Amino acid sequence: MNTVLAAEAGSTTARNLTITLFLVFVAITLAITVWASRQTKTATDFYAGGRSFSGFQNGMAIGGDYMSAASFLGIAGIIALYGYDGFLYSIGFLVAWLVALLLVAELLRNSGRYTMADVLAFRMRQRPVRTAAAVSTITVSIFYLLAQMVGAGALVALLLGIKPDTTFLGMDADTAKVATIIMVGALMIIYVTVGGMKGTTYVQIVKAFLLMGGALAMTLLVLAKYKFNLSSLLGDAASASGKGAAFLEPGLRYGVETPGDALKTFYSKMDLLSLGIALVLGTAGLPHILIRFYTVPTARAARKSVLWAIGIIGTFYLLTLALGFGAAAIVGGSEITAQDKAGNTAAPQLAEKLGEQFLGGDLGGATLLAIIAAVAFATILAVVAGLTLASSSSLAHDFYANVVKKGEASERQEVTVARISALVIGAVSIVLSIYAQNLNVAFLVALAFAVAASGNLPAILYSLFWKRFNTSGAVWAIYGGLLAAVVLVFFSPVVSGAPTAMFPDHDWQWFPLSNPGIISIPFGFLCGWLGTILSKENDEEKYAELEVRSLTGAGAH
């Protein structure tokens, strides 16, 4: 009896500590946002932070933007449940930066002002191209937002000790997760509408420091527990996973060999290839990453910020290995899936176990869990703010100012529309996230990467490097790639026809792969080529001007 009472008292203390830390962080970030709002006077301040950030600051902010809930919660969870196959996400997300650095970072900074469409529309007819770019930006951002919101729901359910069949403030586990998603949505809308790019950037920089510190501390504790012996850590992870040696080899989740079914084996291998292509090519088409290149004063600073980002992100993804295998060894797969089917809570559960072992008892576990959960929540808030800013900027700057108002909107009107857009996009994301709670967040982000690489990347690369490319090609590339990716996802096992689908009780699935990239990305490039050669429009002078601007920065804002 006394033991039960002590455990209950410990869990209440843990819950109170967690909620307090969580509220402190929210208060700090809101204070930063209000401070930034006083510095936000023009459209350049709202969209690009006044182009006042250094390469290092922007590199930290890019790291903060990129190391999302998918990186921290999703990858740790997917490694904890699938071992070797989960690490493919870490590799893919990191290698993708080389494509962004070598192909787009500097050229984009030199050529545009606030959004990706500034580059596309420079040598083409404004209205069709900007409309297509706005639609694409919003679609990609909403896919990405889903991942963050789902991660937030799972995280806060763990924080408050809500498991299936338990209640909190009269809410069951599912209702509490929905309430969390709504709360995160409301906070992100406040960050963007009040603070703009300055507020969002400072929140991302603070969050990058916190996340690196938290991940490093947990990695050192995991390694200390195993006396820095990696083979004993991996051995324990394999035995605790219940899958034995197969846990440390490829083939648990992707490229699965199905004896007697050559077609199923082929589809599984294609899914792996499709995921790899989407991860590597996706970053260079992500709108919320692309707009970060406009926040620095020069192209050199843009390059420097990507190099800083690669260093920060590369280190972080090495740490996810220790977190994932550590969670498998110390927490165990069955305990992780009991809390969250998709494994999204593996890292915070690992923090709780490490706290109990190194800091002593339930209170130690609660303290470390509270700190790591507050960091993870900071991660979610910073990323959703960046995403909402990218999509609301595109709606206001590309669609409202240049399509509806034909370039005649005042800066004040534009920023007002951006703020209203943030509200609408936030509301749509909240509703969709409620239905996506069964999916792993790293996997959801991989879908966003596939959509970005299918719709945005062909148009950006053709625009920068193909002299013949024209308005028709840009519109075909964006809509063709985007439509192919979204339709294939809709008819894939992600949405229906599988136990982990968004709608597990329905089945309209006919596309066998979970990731559409292998079909939709080449289709986007094909549409861009076809649209271009079928149109007679060709402005070589404008291309020459864009080429000079992109390479030298001459005439860039």
Side-chain angles (χ1 to χ4, degrees), residues 17-18 21-22 72 159 210 213-214 217 351 359 364-378:
L17 180 67
T18 302
L21 266 175
F22 171 69
F72 188 48
L159 277 182
L210 289 173
L359 304 177
T367 305
L368 194 56
L369 168 63
I371 292 166
I372 296 303
V375 167
F377 205 79

Side-chain angles (χ1 to χ4, degrees), residues 413-457:
Q413 285 176 316
E414 218 177 296
V415 172
T416 303
V417 171
R419 290 181 164 140
I420 295 165
S421 305
L423 192 65
V424 175
I425 289 157
V428 171
S429 306
I430 288 166
V431 173
L432 289 174
S433 303
I434 291 166
Y435 290 100
Q437 293 181 68
N438 289 336
L439 300 172
N440 178 280
V441 290
F443 172 73
L444 274 170
V445 164
L447 289 184
F449 272 57
V451 177
S454 307
N456 295 344
L457 189 64

Side-chain angles (χ1 to χ4, degrees), residues 97 111 117 175 181 223 240 251 271 273 295 347 378 407 450 479 497 523 538 557:
W97 273 103
S111 313
T175 313
I181 286 170
L223 293 175
D271 220 1
L273 189 58
T295 64
Y479 286 133
F523 187 73
N538 187 13
H557 295 275

Side-chain angles (χ1 to χ4, degrees), residues 202-243:
Y202 283 119
V203 168
Q204 284 163 345
I205 291 169
V206 169
K207 169 238 138 153
F209 274 113
L210 289 173
L211 185 58
M212 287 297 286
L216 187 61
M218 281 174 68
T219 299
L220 290 173
L221 291 177
V222 168
L223 293 175
K225 178 174 167 58
Y226 285 94
K227 299 184 171 59
F228 291 83
N229 184 334
L230 287 177
S231 67
S232 63
L233 165 62
L234 295 176
D236 270 16
S239 55
S241 71
K243 298 177 179 100

Side-chain angles (χ1 to χ4, degrees), residues 152-154 157 162 172-182 339-340 437:
I162 305 168
D172 62 19
D174 292 338
T175 313
K177 280 187 181 182
V178 171
T180 304
I181 286 170
I182 293 168
Q339 174 65 42
D340 186 88
Q437 293 181 68

Side-chain angles (χ1 to χ4, degrees), residues 184-388:
V184 172
L187 273 171
M188 79 178 177
I189 291 164
I190 291 168
Y191 286 160
V192 174
T193 53
V194 175
M197 179 57 94
K198 272 195 175 162
T200 301
T201 300
Y202 283 119
V203 168
Q204 284 163 345
I205 291 169
V206 169
K207 169 238 138 153
F209 274 113
L210 289 173
L211 185 58
M212 287 297 286
L216 187 61
M218 281 174 68
T219 299
L220 290 173
L221 291 177
V222 168
L223 293 175
K225 178 174 167 58
Y226 285 94
K227 299 184 171 59
F228 291 83
N229 184 334
L230 287 177
S231 67
S232 63
L233 165 62
L234 295 176
D236 270 16
S239 55
S241 71
K243 298 177 179 100
F247 189 71
L248 303 177
E249 294 167 5
L252 267 185
R253 183 179 171 108
Y254 297 106
V256 179
E257 297 276 352
T258 309
D261 194 337
L263 192 63
K264 202 171 177 186
T265 301
F266 173 74
Y267 284 150
S268 188
K269 295 196 172 188
M270 284 298 101
D271 220 1
L272 170 61
L273 189 58
S274 192
L275 171 71
I277 292 168
L279 292 181
V280 169
L281 296 179
T283 297
L286 287 175
H288 70 296
I289 297 296
L290 296 178
I291 65 167
R292 291 233 58 90
F293 298 135
Y294 298 132
T295 64
V296 290
T298 63
R300 188 176 175 203
R303 275 200 315 276
K304 194 181 280 186
S305 60
V306 177
L307 289 171
W308 273 110
I310 289 174
I312 294 160
I313 293 162
T315 307
F316 176 76
Y317 283 135
L318 279 175
L319 301 180
T320 59
L321 260 182
L323 300 181
F325 285 114
I330 296 166
V331 182
S334 55
E335 198 173 323
I336 292 167
T337 48
Q339 174 65 42
D340 186 88
K341 282 184 208 157
N344 294 323
T345 55
Q349 283 176 278
L350 172 63
E352 191 169 19
K353 295 279 185 192
L354 289 170
E356 285 169 7
Q357 290 176 22
F358 285 93
L359 304 177
D362 286 346
L363 188 61
T367 305
L368 194 56
L369 168 63
I371 292 166
I372 296 303
V375 167
F377 205 79
T379 297
I380 291 165
L381 290 176
V383 174
V384 292
L387 285 161
T388 312

Side-chain angles (χ1 to χ4, degrees), residues 120-121 124-136 454-456 458-460 462-463 469-483 523-524 526-532 535 537:
L120 302 180
M124 295 163 199
R125 295 197 311 279
Q126 297 278 318
R127 297 180 78 184
V129 173
R130 285 190 183 275
T131 304
V135 169
S136 178
S454 307
N456 295 344
I460 291 168
Y462 278 148
S463 191
F469 194 51
N470 55 32
T471 306
S472 173
V475 171
W476 279 44
I478 293 173
Y479 286 133
L482 197 62
L483 203 61
F523 187 73
L526 176 66
C527 286
W529 174 78
L530 203 58
T532 302
S535 165
E537 182 191 347

